[in-house]
Amino acid sequence: MQALMMPAPLQIAAVLEHAAHWHPRTEIVSRLPEGIIHRYTYAEAAARARQLAHALSALGIKPGERLATLAWNTHRHFELYYGISGLGAVCHTLNPRLFFDQLVFIINHAHDRLLFFDLTFLPLAEKLAPHCPTVEKWVLLAGPEHLPAGSQLPGLCSYETLLAGQPTAFEWPVLDENAAASLCYTSGTTDQPKGVLFSHRSTLLHALSACLPDCFAASATDVILPVVPMFHVNAWGLPYVAPMVGAKLVLPGPGLDGASLFELFEAEKVTFSAGVPTIWLGLLQFMRDGQRQFSTLRRTIVGGAACPPALMAAFENELNVTIRHAWGMTETSPLGTAGTLKAGQDALPKAEQDAILAKQGRVIFGVDMKIVDDTGQALPHDGRAFGDLLVRGPWVVSDYFGAPNPGQLTASGWFATGDVATIDPDGFMQITDRSKDVIKSGGEWISSIELENLAVAHPAVAEAAVIGVASEKWSERPLLLVVLRPGQTVSKAEMLAFFEGKVAKFCIPDAVLFVPELPHTATGKLLKTQLRKDYAGYQW
Ligand code: AMP
């Protein structure tokens, strides 16, 4: 029997229209690459997104066509999210930190027709254009006064000129909720990047779950500042979450250093933020250096890489800010789990609570997960057995965009994340490694993440990486690479002694090397493939 409910499809444009209608005066504040602060309201943002939809229609943009962005978190990028997807086209966010060849590959693979870029990326756009024949028009995200003289960029125009004079009313088309809305390529540390194509439905369901109290706990009383870039899996859904709940949105543009962020947090009274551990480590140092305190910031989400427990403790104890740990990936939109205590766990001793919160968290409704062994057999949720983490759900990828063998990726009904994890009896999942990074020593598995977390808890250590290096006797043994904080020294023996009593003896690295820096991927993760190559011949 069919239900008697309105079959209204889930639509991205409806989120902004909701905010424009019910929170018209709530602000969106952006720091722009042009060096100024821009301030307007949801009502004005929606009017401009509608103007953009008119402009794109006039350019002949059809549903399903890909339009790329090369941009920081700003109000214009926010308008592109809604104007492009609302029209039925696909907003393809490019990560400017990728290698040049990867960007060329991605733009051509996606057949991007238009490319919107910030002033910062003008030199990059000029370099890319000759290699990207599908891009008919390059649009500078600024006013016409910033257009460079004599540029060779095809069809170059300014975004403000594109919008000028367009009507502010627009009838958004009613789209199939499963239609593609946005596209993001994974960073691809080994292979070529792969495109994950999000739908209107997946985006809205993901955002709704993200708002839940045990996840982002987003509210109309919040002021949300996504440090996570809008080119990293749609800034973890925050550009949808904020208008959905009517929260004020603060967009930091290119200023992601401690001083710029702190200034914006304070000036705009930010209450909630989200980003990768590297950002918070930088901000923590800045706060400590000036003995500063936040006046309104109370909680942040840290994800994208394991959050060191030492970072959580420092934010809580020194800055009175709660860090919630979350896990996800491009293929999961990205939220899969978030870490908050269950009923009764707040009565546990503090150390036990901290150990629970250091895990990657519990699944949010909509995501199902399991861990399996090498033969695909499900493993127990006892917090000890670890295996490959598999996930499924309405915002989990079913196939990559343009994959040569459609249907294979999730033929089992599950998506294999490539992460190795445990799940405890309360449902808290803990990533112990990427399957490629796990160290196999004498038949036992050693978690490189656990060792890295311990290493960065040492006061002299700024960053640490642990990789497996071939050993005749054990097949692999852990090698620790450490970047020291400026002006700090510590001996190798002291460094290794720091692990004693904290992990099983066989897990303690066999050697430590002090290095000036560690390689990172375009999304800020440690580039372990590079490290394994560099230290492949290491003699114990
Ligand atoms: P990406 O698709 O580039 O966002 O990368 C996703 C991968 O980042 C995951 O498969 C994990 O290996 C890693 N990751 C994300 N969040 C966390 C976290 N909280 N702790 C540990 N690893 C994480």
Side-chain angles (χ1 to χ4, degrees):
M1 189 202 280
Q2 282 288 304
L4 295 170
M5 288 287 135
M6 294 187 186
L10 299 172
Q11 311 268 280
I12 284 177
V15 178
L16 184 55
E17 292 300 342
H18 165 83
H21 200 158
W22 300 106
H23 305 276
R25 289 179 302 281
T26 303
E27 283 183 320
I28 301 180
V29 180
S30 317
R31 179 183 278 139
L32 301 184
E34 300 95 294
I36 52 164
I37 297 280
H38 177 273
R39 189 181 294 276
Y40 70 170
T41 63
Y42 278 123
E44 290 167 284
R48 279 170 53 94
R50 292 184 217 115
Q51 287 185 299
L52 173 63
H54 276 292
L56 297 178
S57 304
L59 288 172
I61 298 301
K62 301 274 176 312
E65 288 183 336
R66 274 78 62 201
L67 312 184
T69 66
L70 201 48
W72 300 109
N73 294 7
T74 69
H75 71 293
R76 293 190 183 106
H77 206 176
F78 179 84
E79 292 161 12
L80 288 163
Y81 264 43
Y82 286 92
I84 295 175
S85 303
L87 192 64
V90 178
C91 181
H92 175 197
T93 50
L94 294 167
N95 181 347
R97 296 178 188 143
L98 288 177
F99 296 123
F100 181 77
D101 290 349
Q102 288 181 318
L103 279 172
V104 170
F105 170 86
I106 290 174
I107 295 167
N108 284 294
H109 189 264
H111 287 263
D112 292 322
R113 270 191 73 184
L114 308 184
L115 197 149
F116 297 84
F117 62 97
D118 270 336
L119 205 49
T120 323
F121 303 119
L122 175 63
L124 179 57
E126 305 255 8
K127 229 175 111 192
L128 283 168
H131 304 274
C132 303
T134 66
V135 181
E136 297 156 28
K137 198 168 180 59
W138 295 74
V139 184
L140 175 67
L141 291 165
E145 68 279 14
H146 292 285
L147 283 176
S151 168
Q152 298 296 307
L153 284 172
L156 178 65
C157 77
S158 96
Y159 181 78
E160 294 304 328
T161 307
L162 198 67
L163 261 57
Q166 296 291 352
T168 54
F170 182 77
E171 195 69 38
W172 296 107
V174 178
L175 304 165
D176 174 354
E177 64 178 20
N178 286 304
S182 64
L183 175 65
C184 182
Y185 281 70
T186 60
S187 40
T189 49
T190 44
D191 320 322
Q192 285 289 20
K194 296 188 277 290
V196 180
L197 197 53
F198 309 99
S199 66
H200 286 259
R201 175 183 156 81
S202 69
T203 304
L204 260 73
L205 291 176
H206 172 266
L208 280 165
S209 273
C211 293
L212 290 172
D214 279 351
C215 198
F216 290 173
S219 144
T221 58
D222 272 318
V223 179
I224 302 180
L225 187 150
V227 180
V228 50
M230 290 168 76
F231 53 77
H232 277 185
V233 219
N234 294 330
W236 302 351
L238 286 168
Y240 306 108
V241 164
M244 202 172 248
V245 300
K248 173 175 166 182
L249 188 59
V250 182
L251 300 168
L256 303 179
D257 58 288
S260 310
L261 284 176
F262 179 67
E263 189 193 312
L264 215 47
F265 279 130
E266 289 303 295
E268 300 303 328
K269 301 189 170 21
V270 172
T271 59
F272 174 59
S273 187
V276 295
T278 324
I279 288 289
W280 303 116
L281 285 165
L283 189 58
L284 176 63
Q285 196 54 48
F286 175 78
M287 299 298 284
R288 280 177 172 164
D289 288 348
Q291 295 188 328
R292 299 176 177 89
Q293 287 291 320
F294 294 110
S295 25
T296 52
L297 184 67
R298 285 298 162 257
R299 53 186 213 286
T300 74
I301 290 275
V302 176
C307 178
L311 181 65
M312 285 189 175
F315 262 74
E316 188 178 324
N317 301 333
E318 297 172 35
L319 302 173
N320 196 23
V321 174
T322 306
I323 287 188
R324 282 184 181 179
H325 202 180
W327 167 90
M329 53 198 311
T330 312
E331 287 88 340
T332 63
S333 296
L335 281 170
T337 65
T340 53
L341 297 178
K342 278 181 158 177
Q345 288 181 325
D346 54 355
L348 292 171
K350 182 78 174 74
E352 282 180 44
Q353 292 185 33
D354 289 348
I356 295 170
L357 293 172
K359 298 186 177 192
Q360 274 69 13
R362 297 180 278 121
V363 281
I364 44 179
F365 171 75
V367 177
D368 189 16
M369 60 173 50
K370 64 176 179 179
I371 43 173
V372 297
D373 65 14
D374 288 348
T375 66
Q377 286 301 310
L379 292 165
H381 294 183
D382 59 8
R384 284 191 304 276
F386 51 91
D388 293 319
L389 180 69
L390 309 187
V391 294
R392 63 182 177 190
W395 58 84
V396 175
V397 71
S398 65
D399 238 319
Y400 290 113
F401 179 55
N405 305 308
Q408 280 193 358
L409 186 68
T410 51
S412 67
W414 293 84
F415 171 72
T417 62
D419 285 326
V420 178
T422 61
I423 301 178
D424 74 18
D426 288 309
F428 287 83
M429 184 273 285
Q430 182 161 32
I431 302 276
T432 56
D433 245 314
R434 289 294 289 167
S435 49
K436 299 183 290 287
D437 296 340
V438 75
I439 300 161
K440 286 161 206 137
S441 171
E444 298 289 347
W445 287 23
I446 297 176
S447 162
S448 63
I449 293 182
E450 188 184 8
L451 298 177
E452 286 157 9
N453 278 343
L454 283 171
V456 295
H458 191 289
V461 175
E463 201 183 8
V466 176
I467 51 166
V469 174
S471 142
E472 219 167 277
K473 184 164 178 199
W474 302 105
S475 81
E476 266 185 349
R477 287 296 301 155
L479 171 67
L480 170 66
L481 301 156
V482 165
V483 180
L484 289 174
R485 286 186 197 283
Q488 299 283 334
T489 50
V490 58
S491 73
K492 290 185 174 185
E494 274 175 90
M495 192 65 237
L496 293 178
F498 190 66
F499 290 92
E500 277 166 23
K502 300 187 177 101
V503 285
K505 248 200 154 76
F506 77 90
C507 296
I508 298 180
D510 280 11
V512 52
L513 296 176
F514 296 106
V515 293
E517 59 181 2
L518 290 166
H520 292 94
T521 68
T523 48
K525 298 181 210 302
L526 281 170
L527 193 50
K528 297 245 182 120
T529 43
Q530 181 66 42
L531 288 173
R532 277 196 291 270
K533 232 184 269 166
D534 292 351
Y535 294 93
Y538 181 78
Q539 297 298 320
W540 293 108

